[in-house]
Amino acid sequence: MGLLRVMMPPKLQLLALLAFALAMFFLENQIQKLEESRGKLERAIARHEVREIEQRHTQDGLRERDSSSSALSEREDDVVIIYNRVPKTASTSFTNIAYDLCGKNHYHVLHINTTKNNPVMSIQDQVRFIKNVTEWREMKPAFYHGHVSFLDFTKFGIKKKPIYINVIRDPIERLVSYYYFLRFGDDYRPGLRRRKQGDKKTFDECVSAGGSDCAPEKLWLQIPFFCGHYSECWNVGSQWALEQAKYNLVNEYLLVGVTEELEDFVMMLEAALPRFFKGATELYKTGKKSHLRKTSEKKPPTKESIAKLQQSAIWKMENEFYEFALEQFQFVRAHAVREKDGELYLLAQNFFYEKIYPKN
């Protein structure tokens, strides 16, 4: 290089240096452009990766939400309600509401019709029934109803139990209604011939004569229906049966209403189980067949007849159970329903969540 500088004229040396400088400037400019292009590319790649991550998170969230929604739907569709209805407690009126709503609310209603309305199932029928209730998926969600005493599913190794509901009635009023029903039927199926049709004896006359159809033993029904399939449940006047019935009412039933306040019962069921009872309250108020089924030719008993029945230990036990159920129902209602200007309305949700940790 030094030799070239010696041999080259000064002008050429200057031109060579200028050309070299231009070449270096051009190269540096190209390198800078490449660096800028690489930076843009890296930023574009980074933005693309962020979008991909966000998209994956969104898709995962949607899948989780869909999965959660599907799981919730499956849980709702796996619900079974059992209404082991006590005779002459407005059970047909209430069941008609379930029949009216089942198509609209998409569930099945199944009537448990036992031979001669026997409320106690054989051990083999208990197993068959429990197998149907738990495994008959084509019929779920389901509303089962029938004159059957309480059946404890846990005895058969079933972890997911059905939801029990029921309605009971003042024991003497229930017996009087049943007495006349057997003789005159009701306005639900007026043409059907009843077992005691033709017997014109009034309830008061039956009590006065000491007849079997109005005997205190006939009051023993609501206790065994709630007590269940134990032999002691059906021993008339059993204190053990009374306590077991109370235990089951509190621990095994979602809600037990009373005939005298059936609208409140329907309203609370609609609030608690809308999957089944959405629209039930309005239907109860306006429906043509919902709803109350009335026994024909029923005559209220005299004070003397009532007083005579109330002397029996059986009435005292059945009435104790009724009062126990009524107190429990009124307690639940007081925390769920209010009355204003003669109209009932449900209380709004009055709990909320706070201090949720960890904070995101």
PDB file of all heavy atoms in Angstrom, residues 210-226:
ATOM      1  N   GLY A 210    -118.477 -45.096  66.266  1.00  0.00           N
ATOM      2  CA  GLY A 210    -117.203 -45.801  66.433  1.00  0.00           C
ATOM      3  C   GLY A 210    -116.811 -46.623  65.224  1.00  0.00           C
ATOM      4  O   GLY A 210    -116.217 -47.701  65.349  1.00  0.00           O
ATOM      5  N   GLY A 211    -117.113 -46.125  64.030  1.00  0.00           N
ATOM      6  CA  GLY A 211    -116.826 -46.852  62.797  1.00  0.00           C
ATOM      7  C   GLY A 211    -115.329 -46.954  62.510  1.00  0.00           C
ATOM      8  O   GLY A 211    -114.525 -46.140  62.977  1.00  0.00           O
ATOM      9  N   SER A 212    -114.954 -47.948  61.718  1.00  0.00           N
ATOM     10  CA  SER A 212    -113.531 -48.202  61.426  1.00  0.00           C
ATOM     11  C   SER A 212    -112.946 -47.184  60.459  1.00  0.00           C
ATOM     12  O   SER A 212    -111.747 -46.888  60.507  1.00  0.00           O
ATOM     13  CB  SER A 212    -113.362 -49.610  60.850  1.00  0.00           C
ATOM     14  OG  SER A 212    -114.110 -49.751  59.648  1.00  0.00           O
ATOM     15  N   ASP A 213    -113.786 -46.619  59.560  1.00  0.00           N
ATOM     16  CA  ASP A 213    -113.265 -45.686  58.563  1.00  0.00           C
ATOM     17  C   ASP A 213    -112.900 -44.323  59.141  1.00  0.00           C
ATOM     18  O   ASP A 213    -112.245 -43.513  58.478  1.00  0.00           O
ATOM     19  CB  ASP A 213    -114.290 -45.483  57.447  1.00  0.00           C
ATOM     20  CG  ASP A 213    -114.341 -46.674  56.500  1.00  0.00           C
ATOM     21  OD1 ASP A 213    -113.462 -47.542  56.610  1.00  0.00           O
ATOM     22  OD2 ASP A 213    -115.257 -46.725  55.662  1.00  0.00           O
ATOM     23  N   CYS A 214    -113.332 -44.051  60.361  1.00  0.00           N
ATOM     24  CA  CYS A 214    -113.027 -42.768  60.990  1.00  0.00           C
ATOM     25  C   CYS A 214    -112.317 -42.971  62.326  1.00  0.00           C
ATOM     26  O   CYS A 214    -112.232 -42.051  63.145  1.00  0.00           O
ATOM     27  CB  CYS A 214    -114.303 -41.952  61.199  1.00  0.00           C
ATOM     28  SG  CYS A 214    -115.554 -42.847  62.146  1.00  0.00           S
ATOM     29  N   ALA A 215    -111.813 -44.176  62.551  1.00  0.00           N
ATOM     30  CA  ALA A 215    -111.129 -44.492  63.809  1.00  0.00           C
ATOM     31  C   ALA A 215    -109.796 -43.748  63.889  1.00  0.00           C
ATOM     32  O   ALA A 215    -109.187 -43.429  62.855  1.00  0.00           O
ATOM     33  CB  ALA A 215    -110.893 -45.995  63.912  1.00  0.00           C
ATOM     34  N   PRO A 216    -109.311 -43.460  65.091  1.00  0.00           N
ATOM     35  CA  PRO A 216    -108.025 -42.763  65.238  1.00  0.00           C
ATOM     36  C   PRO A 216    -106.876 -43.451  64.516  1.00  0.00           C
ATOM     37  O   PRO A 216    -105.946 -42.787  64.046  1.00  0.00           O
ATOM     38  CB  PRO A 216    -107.815 -42.762  66.756  1.00  0.00           C
ATOM     39  CG  PRO A 216    -109.192 -42.829  67.329  1.00  0.00           C
ATOM     40  CD  PRO A 216    -109.975 -43.683  66.388  1.00  0.00           C
ATOM     41  N   GLU A 217    -106.939 -44.778  64.398  1.00  0.00           N
ATOM     42  CA  GLU A 217    -105.872 -45.502  63.693  1.00  0.00           C
ATOM     43  C   GLU A 217    -105.722 -45.060  62.240  1.00  0.00           C
ATOM     44  O   GLU A 217    -104.640 -45.164  61.654  1.00  0.00           O
ATOM     45  CB  GLU A 217    -106.145 -47.015  63.746  1.00  0.00           C
ATOM     46  CG  GLU A 217    -105.948 -47.662  65.106  1.00  0.00           C
ATOM     47  CD  GLU A 217    -107.097 -47.376  66.069  1.00  0.00           C
ATOM     48  OE1 GLU A 217    -108.159 -46.888  65.608  1.00  0.00           O
ATOM     49  OE2 GLU A 217    -106.940 -47.642  67.275  1.00  0.00           O
ATOM     50  N   LYS A 218    -106.841 -44.559  61.658  1.00  0.00           N
ATOM     51  CA  LYS A 218    -106.792 -44.096  60.265  1.00  0.00           C
ATOM     52  C   LYS A 218    -106.016 -42.786  60.113  1.00  0.00           C
ATOM     53  O   LYS A 218    -105.672 -42.379  59.008  1.00  0.00           O
ATOM     54  CB  LYS A 218    -108.219 -43.905  59.730  1.00  0.00           C
ATOM     55  CG  LYS A 218    -109.024 -45.195  59.606  1.00  0.00           C
ATOM     56  CD  LYS A 218    -108.434 -46.094  58.536  1.00  0.00           C
ATOM     57  CE  LYS A 218    -109.309 -47.331  58.344  1.00  0.00           C
ATOM     58  NZ  LYS A 218    -108.771 -48.236  57.307  1.00  0.00           N
ATOM     59  N   LEU A 219    -105.763 -42.137  61.240  1.00  0.00           N
ATOM     60  CA  LEU A 219    -104.954 -40.914  61.201  1.00  0.00           C
ATOM     61  C   LEU A 219    -103.482 -41.228  60.968  1.00  0.00           C
ATOM     62  O   LEU A 219    -102.719 -40.373  60.527  1.00  0.00           O
ATOM     63  CB  LEU A 219    -105.097 -40.137  62.514  1.00  0.00           C
ATOM     64  CG  LEU A 219    -106.461 -39.513  62.816  1.00  0.00           C
ATOM     65  CD1 LEU A 219    -106.526 -39.097  64.280  1.00  0.00           C
ATOM     66  CD2 LEU A 219    -106.708 -38.306  61.916  1.00  0.00           C
ATOM     67  N   TRP A 220    -103.062 -42.455  61.304  1.00  0.00           N
ATOM     68  CA  TRP A 220    -101.650 -42.844  61.242  1.00  0.00           C
ATOM     69  C   TRP A 220    -101.228 -43.072  59.790  1.00  0.00           C
ATOM     70  O   TRP A 220    -101.284 -44.161  59.254  1.00  0.00           O
ATOM     71  CB  TRP A 220    -101.424 -44.115  62.064  1.00  0.00           C
ATOM     72  CG  TRP A 220     -99.981 -44.476  62.259  1.00  0.00           C
ATOM     73  CD1 TRP A 220     -99.263 -45.434  61.599  1.00  0.00           C
ATOM     74  CD2 TRP A 220     -99.076 -43.885  63.199  1.00  0.00           C
ATOM     75  NE1 TRP A 220     -97.979 -45.477  62.043  1.00  0.00           N
ATOM     76  CE2 TRP A 220     -97.825 -44.534  63.038  1.00  0.00           C
ATOM     77  CE3 TRP A 220     -99.183 -42.870  64.139  1.00  0.00           C
ATOM     78  CZ2 TRP A 220     -96.708 -44.208  63.795  1.00  0.00           C
ATOM     79  CZ3 TRP A 220     -98.076 -42.542  64.896  1.00  0.00           C
ATOM     80  CH2 TRP A 220     -96.861 -43.208  64.727  1.00  0.00           C
ATOM     81  N   LEU A 221    -100.810 -41.997  59.124  1.00  0.00           N
ATOM     82  CA  LEU A 221    -100.416 -42.125  57.722  1.00  0.00           C
ATOM     83  C   LEU A 221     -99.238 -41.224  57.363  1.00  0.00           C
ATOM     84  O   LEU A 221     -98.286 -41.670  56.717  1.00  0.00           O
ATOM     85  CB  LEU A 221    -101.606 -41.816  56.802  1.00  0.00           C
ATOM     86  CG  LEU A 221    -101.370 -42.156  55.330  1.00  0.00           C
ATOM     87  CD1 LEU A 221    -101.291 -43.675  55.156  1.00  0.00           C
ATOM     88  CD2 LEU A 221    -102.473 -41.590  54.445  1.00  0.00           C
ATOM     89  N   GLN A 222     -99.295 -39.976  57.762  1.00  0.00           N
ATOM     90  CA  GLN A 222     -98.226 -39.053  57.373  1.00  0.00           C
ATOM     91  C   GLN A 222     -96.915 -39.400  58.063  1.00  0.00           C
ATOM     92  O   GLN A 222     -95.838 -39.301  57.460  1.00  0.00           O
ATOM     93  CB  GLN A 222     -98.656 -37.607  57.657  1.00  0.00           C
ATOM     94  CG  GLN A 222     -99.861 -37.222  56.813  1.00  0.00           C
ATOM     95  CD  GLN A 222    -100.273 -35.768  56.929  1.00  0.00           C
ATOM     96  OE1 GLN A 222    -100.528 -35.121  55.920  1.00  0.00           O
ATOM     97  NE2 GLN A 222    -100.381 -35.241  58.129  1.00  0.00           N
ATOM     98  N   ILE A 223     -96.983 -39.829  59.305  1.00  0.00           N
ATOM     99  CA  ILE A 223     -95.762 -40.254  60.009  1.00  0.00           C
ATOM    100  C   ILE A 223     -95.093 -41.434  59.301  1.00  0.00           C
ATOM    101  O   ILE A 223     -93.903 -41.361  58.980  1.00  0.00           O
ATOM    102  CB  ILE A 223     -96.060 -40.571  61.489  1.00  0.00           C
ATOM    103  CG1 ILE A 223     -96.302 -39.278  62.257  1.00  0.00           C
ATOM    104  CG2 ILE A 223     -94.906 -41.364  62.119  1.00  0.00           C
ATOM    105  CD1 ILE A 223     -96.741 -39.479  63.700  1.00  0.00           C
ATOM    106  N   PRO A 224     -95.811 -42.527  59.023  1.00  0.00           N
ATOM    107  CA  PRO A 224     -95.134 -43.642  58.332  1.00  0.00           C
ATOM    108  C   PRO A 224     -94.666 -43.304  56.922  1.00  0.00           C
ATOM    109  O   PRO A 224     -93.661 -43.846  56.460  1.00  0.00           O
ATOM    110  CB  PRO A 224     -96.194 -44.757  58.331  1.00  0.00           C
ATOM    111  CG  PRO A 224     -97.480 -44.081  58.597  1.00  0.00           C
ATOM    112  CD  PRO A 224     -97.175 -42.890  59.439  1.00  0.00           C
ATOM    113  N   PHE A 225     -95.357 -42.409  56.220  1.00  0.00           N
ATOM    114  CA  PHE A 225     -94.912 -42.020  54.878  1.00  0.00           C
ATOM    115  C   PHE A 225     -93.540 -41.351  54.929  1.00  0.00           C
ATOM    116  O   PHE A 225     -92.725 -41.527  54.025  1.00  0.00           O
ATOM    117  CB  PHE A 225     -95.931 -41.077  54.230  1.00  0.00           C
ATOM    118  CG  PHE A 225     -96.778 -41.750  53.190  1.00  0.00           C
ATOM    119  CD1 PHE A 225     -97.795 -42.617  53.574  1.00  0.00           C
ATOM    120  CD2 PHE A 225     -96.560 -41.536  51.841  1.00  0.00           C
ATOM    121  CE1 PHE A 225     -98.588 -43.240  52.625  1.00  0.00           C
ATOM    122  CE2 PHE A 225     -97.336 -42.164  50.882  1.00  0.00           C
ATOM    123  CZ  PHE A 225     -98.359 -43.027  51.273  1.00  0.00           C
ATOM    124  N   PHE A 226     -93.282 -40.585  55.971  1.00  0.00           N
ATOM    125  CA  PHE A 226     -91.987 -39.932  56.121  1.00  0.00           C
ATOM    126  C   PHE A 226     -90.982 -40.827  56.839  1.00  0.00           C
ATOM    127  O   PHE A 226     -89.776 -40.692  56.631  1.00  0.00           O
ATOM    128  CB  PHE A 226     -92.138 -38.611  56.886  1.00  0.00           C
ATOM    129  CG  PHE A 226     -92.602 -37.474  56.031  1.00  0.00           C
ATOM    130  CD1 PHE A 226     -93.935 -37.330  55.699  1.00  0.00           C
ATOM    131  CD2 PHE A 226     -91.694 -36.542  55.535  1.00  0.00           C
ATOM    132  CE1 PHE A 226     -94.377 -36.285  54.905  1.00  0.00           C
ATOM    133  CE2 PHE A 226     -92.120 -35.491  54.737  1.00  0.00           C
ATOM    134  CZ  PHE A 226     -93.460 -35.358  54.412  1.00  0.00           C
TER     135      PHE A 226
END
